[in-house]
Amino acid sequence: MKVAGTHVHRLTKSAGYRLLDRRARAELGMSGATFIRKWKQGKFARKACDRPEIVRVAMLLPFAQ
Amino acid sequence: MGKNPQQAVRNFLLPIERSTACLTTARITATGHDPAKQPHALTVNGGQPVAVTLEDDHAVEFNVAIDQNYRVIETGNDQDPWKVHTTKYVYSLTGADGAEIFSYHWHPGIGPNFPHMHVKATQNASVLKAHFRTGRVSLEHFIWVLLTDFGIRARKQGWKKILRASQEAFERGRTWA
């Protein structure tokens, strides 16, 4: 499905989750589910400041929500 | 700006689409325009790094990642009642080996609230950890740096004109610099 008037694609929630999962595995070696759980628990709060790869995964969280 | 959320998002995405096309044929993916589902996100190449080559060499030299989060908000303006605000951005350049070279970040609520730059192509421990404060960096500026300073191959004829036009639109619409 596309955003009207553009060539930009929209994803279903499951495809969005897979997108997040791929990046979480590539960047952090963990599944998307593990990343989301740890993120919600605040376990990245201090580390994110010094680890851009955590931020890069967090940028994709809206795709899985 | 737009008369409804859908139009506002379209008007937000079109210059991003045009600018990104100067760098890559990879498509943009976004979460959409629903104001009830916030924030939204966009990424390029399905969230995977985009391989790019130098102008005079077709071997992959770099990878690029482009991510933004945005919100669709009401303006209170009858003419254009809906607008899109960028709420976070991360633009990264990595080498062919995946190691980051530099990146522009702005992600309030995660680490420093100010826009900043990371420089990773160094062994200096202080530089590796530093958050170099910047002003707000546009996607157009990031792509311009890649095409000029790094010599990455442009995918569009007239890319300078395209990026300048998008940059001007960005500067007209932004609420802070």
Side-chain angles (χ1 to χ4, degrees):
Chain A
M1 182 167 50
K2 288 186 178 177
V3 175
T6 73
H7 294 101
V8 176
H9 284 252
R10 290 176 61 190
L11 298 179
T12 61
K13 188 178 173 184
S14 60
Y17 171 76
R18 288 197 297 275
L19 185 151
L20 173 83
D21 185 66
R22 278 196 302 273
R23 185 177 286 183
R25 291 179 189 278
E27 297 267 17
L28 301 169
M30 67 177 68
S31 69
T34 301
F35 179 82
I36 291 168
R37 190 181 71 249
K38 288 188 171 186
W39 182 264
K40 286 180 177 172
Q41 291 171 344
K43 294 196 173 174
F44 294 125
R46 289 184 184 171
K47 295 177 189 167
C49 191
D50 294 322
R51 293 185 59 192
E53 62 271 28
I54 293 174
V55 178
R56 286 198 293 268
V57 180
M59 292 293 288
L60 300 182
L61 281 168
F63 282 102
Q65 290 166 349
Chain B
M1 306 283 261
K3 301 207 176 300
N4 53 55
Q6 192 172 9
Q7 190 181 67
V9 168
R10 188 195 67 196
N11 291 340
F12 169 72
L13 290 173
L14 280 174
I16 292 173
E17 196 172 47
R18 281 195 286 267
S19 298
T20 305
C22 294
L23 179 70
T24 176
T25 56
R27 73 185 190 191
I28 297 173
T29 307
T31 51
H33 61 264
D34 187 347
K37 292 181 181 174
Q38 307 266 28
H40 288 282
L42 68 87
T43 189
V44 176
N45 200 32
Q48 301 300 300
V50 179
V52 292
T53 61
L54 295 181
E55 186 64 52
D56 51 2
D57 181 356
H58 290 262
V60 173
E61 294 283 345
F62 300 106
N63 292 291
V64 177
I66 294 169
D67 297 287
Q68 288 187 2
N69 284 184
Y70 60 92
R71 300 185 82 86
V72 186
I73 60 167
E74 290 190 82
T75 63
N77 172 350
D78 290 345
Q79 189 78 14
D80 289 302
W82 292 92
K83 181 179 164 85
V84 175
H85 267 309
T86 305
T87 55
K88 296 183 178 76
Y89 63 72
V90 173
Y91 309 135
S92 308
L93 179 71
T94 58
D97 59 358
E100 185 170 306
I101 296 168
F102 81 98
S103 56
Y104 291 120
H105 284 215
W106 177 56
H107 38 72
I110 311 171
N113 283 332
F114 53 85
H116 56 275
M117 179 184 187
H118 291 281
V119 177
K120 299 293 185 183
T122 178
Q123 295 192 338
N124 183 297
S126 298
V127 174
L128 282 169
K129 284 175 60 179
H131 298 77
F132 295 102
R133 186 185 287 263
T134 66
R136 184 175 182 179
V137 174
S138 66
L139 174 61
E140 289 76 17
H141 172 80
F142 175 63
I143 294 172
W144 188 279
V145 167
L146 300 184
L147 300 185
T148 55
D149 298 334
F150 284 83
I152 289 170
R153 186 158 70 103
R155 291 286 185 166
K156 287 274 184 192
Q157 295 284 337
W159 61 268
K160 288 184 179 178
K161 192 173 174 184
I162 295 168
L163 291 180
R164 282 197 189 106
S166 288
Q167 177 72 24
E168 284 169 15
F170 165 76
E171 290 176 7
R172 280 195 303 274
R174 71 184 175 189
T175 54
W176 66 279

